[in-house]
Amino acid sequence: MTDHLTHLDDAAQRTFPPSDAFRAQAVADERLHEEATEDRLAFWAARARELHWHRDFTEVLDWQPPHARWFADGQLNVAYNCLDRHVEAGLGDRVALHWEGEPGDRRTITYAELTAEVQRLANVLLAHGVGDGDRVAIYLPMLPEAVAAMLACARIGAIHSVVFGGFSASNLRMRIDDAKATFVITADGTWRKGKVFPLKPVVDDALREPGHDVTGVLVVRRGENEVEWVEGRDRWYHEAMAEVDADHEAQGFDAEHPLFILYTSGSTGKPKGILHTSGGYLTQASFTHRVVFDLHPETDVYWCTADVGWITGHSYVVYGPLANGATQVLYEGTMDTPGPERPWQLIERYGVTIFYTAPTAIRTFMKLGRQHVQSSDLSSLRVLGTVGEPINPEAWMWYREVVGSGTTPIVDTWWQTETGAMMIAPLPGVTALKPGSAQVPLPGIAIDVVDESGAPVEDGSGGLLVVTEPWPSMLRTIWGDDERYRETYWEKFGDRYFAGDGARKDEDGDIWLLGRVDDVMNVSGHRLSTAEIESSLVAHESTAEAAVVGASDETTGQAVVAFVILKARFADAQSVEESEAALREHVANDIGKIARPRQVFIVPDLPKTRSGKIMRRLLRDLAEGRDLGDTTTLADQGVVEAIRSQLR
């Protein structure tokens, strides 16, 4: 099998070392990697002790593959670490959240105020019979109350299951049933794309059929939309908060006490409830947030655009930043409302210094044009980050040049819902950055690229990404289904975690992610990465965005099928047939004839999840003429029909 990765090799030629000025003030230096290499467990113990422990631990790791217990005889309170300890250190007046609603309303919330809110909400939960080990479903938009709800659960030892506020009633009910949740926290509605999107009615629909365990629903007033009311079950958040004591003392819980369940899609279609626990998770989330973003909490203003319904929102909106005493921006709405200038206006208004978003968002910004970015003063930015999928080198360069003024370091981070926190990322004061590569495992993380038999590959070769040693923030199991946990992640390589992603080491040993293994195609015995071909297509001057899938082919096993959105000025300048032919030829010249797409379809848009990921499974189904299956996570159902009409 041959790996055709020449396009990545070209990108790997460009490197951007940290400036002397950045290096001089950086939080992390080379010594972190040295310390972790010398004694990995001592390294993680030292990171854990940067947190507050109600009872110190004596044991760092108990590893009985595939189950790990970190700091297991220690006790801590996650919410106390994110809130009270900062207030007690005299930082109560520091801003925790600059919140802005989509209509433009604003709230500034200090650490003292957020601590008070969480203490009161903890008492509300206790008054409603929620306690240690109970499951609470949180179906909230990007409001400060969503952050408070997660921390209030953590404070009393309840296990939260946050469900993204765009999921349907059936999706919500499935997650409520699987976790056996007894309590739900929601809002009447939220602002999205200029109008109120109802949330409470979705909860009502989810709970209409009997058979669930939910006894209480707490409702935040936000949208002011009409809602049904079930007496004895439903309570307004503000009324319940007014009735309880203001004080709540945080107690310590075991480090392995479950913190949250977060559902992620599985290949079988039934979502998997990923279980994360407390001590190891908070250790790695806070450490990685600090060193990867070079966080100086006394001066930085941080903004991660992820929704709290996804793992990025858990680890890098709630737990990591607040454990580090960071000041951050929280924004309710969509990035293009009322216009495409909105994110850049937010950065200017709050003086954002660290900005963390998804490659899909960056490619959307590219498509809309740099004039929107340049309408605001972005000179406050000093670190940029990407998360969610591999970023193509062209988008990386655009992000650096247009958003980062050609000087701002970009940290491309690889991790998953299952890993809990970042695993591969450059340290901005240490690493010479390569456009499109996540590059190096973080200090204390052991990663390799192996072939199908599990043997490590040479530099310059591709294979499968594995984590070779347990890490603190790793998932502990799949909720209620340990057998599925063993099968999904550990069956292939025994005591090594298989991430399901393909990767390649370049000649320097740096890691390039190639997307999910099902995003690596086998064409006539040659391994071709969808990310690589997409990168080639996006490098063509006419392309705004591209997605590539492997479709069944009688002759070659799989064939390359590309879906391309053209930039506006090219869409009108030439026929669809001319555009398709030019792009097929471009890929053949750029990568090699083996990579030439069998078909290129010029489309008006691509099917994406609400978190912005391209749904390549749907594109494969469309390319092969199959029924589409589950489309509930699709942000815009009309996109599929538009593509279908093009295919006809």
Side-chain angles (χ1 to χ4, degrees):
M1 240 185 219
T2 316
D3 274 298
H4 286 271
L5 297 155
T6 50
H7 197 74
L8 299 186
D9 283 331
D10 293 340
Q13 305 307 311
R14 292 177 288 190
T15 59
F16 298 90
S19 69
D20 292 343
F22 195 101
R23 198 188 288 272
Q25 61 80 59
V27 170
D29 60 26
E30 288 85 350
R31 286 173 299 185
L32 270 182
H33 278 290
E34 291 163 12
E35 183 190 341
T37 304
E38 203 171 292
D39 188 335
R40 206 174 76 85
L41 295 186
F43 171 84
W44 282 120
R47 300 295 77 77
R49 289 197 171 97
E50 289 163 0
L51 300 172
H52 173 274
W53 292 81
H54 277 66
R55 184 178 76 208
D56 195 13
F57 54 90
T58 61
E59 179 184 59
V60 179
L61 172 65
D62 173 17
W63 176 228
Q64 311 290 331
H67 295 109
R69 291 164 55 81
W70 285 86
F71 321 121
D73 60 343
Q75 288 193 336
L76 79 171
N77 186 289
V78 169
Y80 179 92
N81 272 284
C82 292
L83 298 169
D84 308 59
R85 70 173 175 145
H86 303 313
V87 177
E88 289 167 14
L91 302 174
D93 290 338
R94 179 181 289 171
V95 174
L97 304 173
H98 289 293
W99 177 81
E100 186 161 319
E102 193 182 81
D105 46 331
R106 298 169 199 166
R107 289 157 66 186
T108 300
I109 298 164
T110 65
Y111 271 91
E113 289 165 339
L114 187 57
T115 303
E117 182 89 357
V118 169
Q119 289 192 19
R120 211 176 259 279
L121 186 50
N123 287 330
V124 168
L125 292 174
L126 292 168
H128 285 80
V130 178
D132 182 2
D134 291 335
R135 273 80 67 203
V136 175
I138 298 173
Y139 187 69
L140 281 170
M142 291 295 281
L143 300 175
E145 288 83 359
V147 177
M150 293 165 73
L151 290 166
C153 290
R155 193 174 189 90
I156 64 170
I159 305 165
H160 62 70
S161 168
V162 183
V163 181
F164 173 61
F167 277 143
S168 66
S170 59
N171 270 280
L172 176 60
R173 176 61 183 261
M174 188 284 301
R175 287 157 170 80
I176 286 170
D177 286 349
D178 190 76
K180 295 188 165 51
T182 58
F183 199 77
V184 177
I185 305 175
T186 189
D188 52 0
T190 181
W191 285 90
R192 191 175 296 162
K193 290 191 180 292
K195 53 180 189 282
V196 173
F197 181 88
L199 292 172
K200 169 74 162 52
V202 179
V203 175
D204 293 335
D205 283 352
L207 299 179
R208 219 172 288 287
E209 293 297 317
H212 59 78
D213 298 331
V214 174
T215 57
V217 177
L218 194 64
V219 187
V220 177
R221 180 172 279 160
R222 169 61 184 155
E224 305 277 349
N225 46 310
E226 287 284 312
V227 291
E228 290 179 25
W229 209 251
V230 178
E231 288 303 327
R233 182 196 77 182
D234 299 348
R235 289 293 314 276
W236 285 111
Y237 179 98
H238 59 278
E239 290 177 0
M241 291 284 276
E243 292 171 6
V244 295
D245 288 344
D247 297 325
H248 177 274
E249 190 173 339
Q251 69 176 83
F253 293 97
D254 289 349
E256 284 298 325
H257 189 287
L259 179 61
F260 64 85
I261 305 164
L262 185 58
Y263 287 86
T264 185
S265 56
S267 53
T268 62
K270 181 184 188 289
K272 310 181 290 266
I274 304 301
L275 180 70
H276 283 290
T277 57
S278 303
Y281 169 81
L282 193 64
T283 295
Q284 193 170 331
S286 59
F287 165 68
T288 53
H289 178 260
R290 189 168 65 251
V291 299
V292 173
F293 294 121
D294 188 53
L295 180 77
H296 297 263
E298 60 287 350
T299 50
D300 275 319
V301 178
Y302 164 82
W303 183 22
C304 169
T305 63
D307 191 281
V308 289
W310 312 111
I311 188 65
T312 306
H314 283 57
S315 301
Y316 298 106
V317 173
V318 181
Y319 292 112
L322 294 175
N324 288 330
T327 295
Q328 63 178 325
V329 171
L330 199 66
Y331 171 58
E332 174 188 35
T334 50
M335 286 292 192
D336 57 355
T337 305
E341 297 82 13
R342 188 65 179 270
W344 320 116
Q345 291 167 346
L346 286 163
I347 289 171
E348 179 177 344
R349 175 153 46 251
Y350 298 108
V352 171
T353 56
I354 304 166
F355 182 57
Y356 192 34
T357 195
T360 296
I362 295 161
R363 288 191 290 268
T364 301
F365 302 148
M366 282 175 75
K367 187 166 66 177
L368 293 168
R370 63 178 63 201
Q371 69 274 18
H372 302 297
V373 184
Q374 291 167 342
S375 66
S376 295
D377 176 3
L378 306 185
S379 58
S380 58
L381 288 171
R382 60 180 206 87
V383 177
L384 300 172
T386 74
V387 60
E389 57 185 313
I391 182 168
N392 50 305
E394 294 74 20
W396 193 103
M397 288 301 298
W398 185 92
Y399 194 29
R400 179 182 169 91
E401 295 298 326
V402 179
V403 181
S405 303
T407 57
T408 308
I410 296 173
V411 288
D412 175 8
T413 62
W414 178 83
W415 57 295
Q416 302 173 306
T417 303
E418 292 89 343
T419 71
M422 295 172 191
M423 303 290 280
I424 307 175
L427 296 176
V430 175
T431 316
L433 303 170
K434 291 179 184 174
S437 172
Q439 296 188 262
V440 283
L442 285 162
I445 302 299
I447 278 176
D448 208 347
V449 180
V450 300
D451 63 20
E452 286 286 345
S453 71
V457 302
E458 300 287 315
D459 288 351
S461 303
L464 306 171
L465 192 75
V466 292
V467 188
T468 59
E469 298 284 351
W471 65 98
S473 66
M474 65 191 282
L475 78 164
R476 298 310 197 249
T477 188
I478 291 173
W479 180 259
D481 196 348
D482 196 60
E483 194 49 47
R484 189 178 180 193
Y485 165 72
R486 290 169 182 271
E487 271 173 31
T488 306
Y489 305 110
W490 304 94
E491 194 171 61
K492 193 168 180 73
F493 296 120
D495 63 352
R496 290 176 293 177
Y497 170 88
F498 174 45
D501 279 347
R504 177 209 181 223
K505 288 185 188 170
D506 65 20
E507 298 301 342
D508 302 325
D510 283 346
I511 294 171
W512 296 72
L513 273 301
L514 302 176
R516 302 295 298 168
V517 169
D518 52 16
D519 287 347
V520 176
M521 297 166 292
N522 186 342
V523 179
S524 304
H526 300 274
R527 280 173 65 89
L528 291 169
S529 151
T530 56
E532 182 197 9
I533 299 173
E534 286 168 9
S535 219
S536 174
L537 286 163
V538 171
H540 191 273
E541 61 177 5
S542 68
T543 305
E545 195 167 1
V548 168
V549 295
S552 299
D553 189 281
E554 285 177 16
T555 313
T556 60
Q558 277 189 305
V560 179
V561 178
F563 297 82
V564 175
I565 304 171
L566 294 180
K567 290 176 183 165
R569 70 178 190 274
F570 288 92
D572 305 324
Q574 55 190 40
S575 72
V576 168
E577 290 75 16
E578 286 172 327
S579 296
E580 290 172 350
L583 289 166
R584 291 181 71 233
E585 199 54 34
H586 169 75
V587 173
N589 292 335
D590 193 24
I591 299 175
K593 288 187 177 142
I594 189 71
R596 187 202 307 264
R598 182 183 73 189
Q599 291 152 296
V600 173
F601 294 108
I602 306 298
V603 294
D605 207 345
L606 293 169
K608 291 172 185 167
T609 64
R610 292 183 180 88
S611 66
K613 284 193 179 172
I614 294 168
M615 295 183 73
R616 288 178 177 79
R617 174 180 60 79
L618 288 188
L619 290 174
R620 266 193 298 278
D621 290 345
L622 284 164
E624 296 182 350
R626 284 197 300 269
D627 288 336
L628 295 189
D630 180 22
T631 60
T632 50
T633 57
L634 191 59
D636 181 356
Q637 301 283 343
V639 170
V640 170
E641 278 314 309
I643 295 174
R644 233 192 216 125
S645 66
Q646 296 288 109
L647 299 186
R648 291 195 196 103

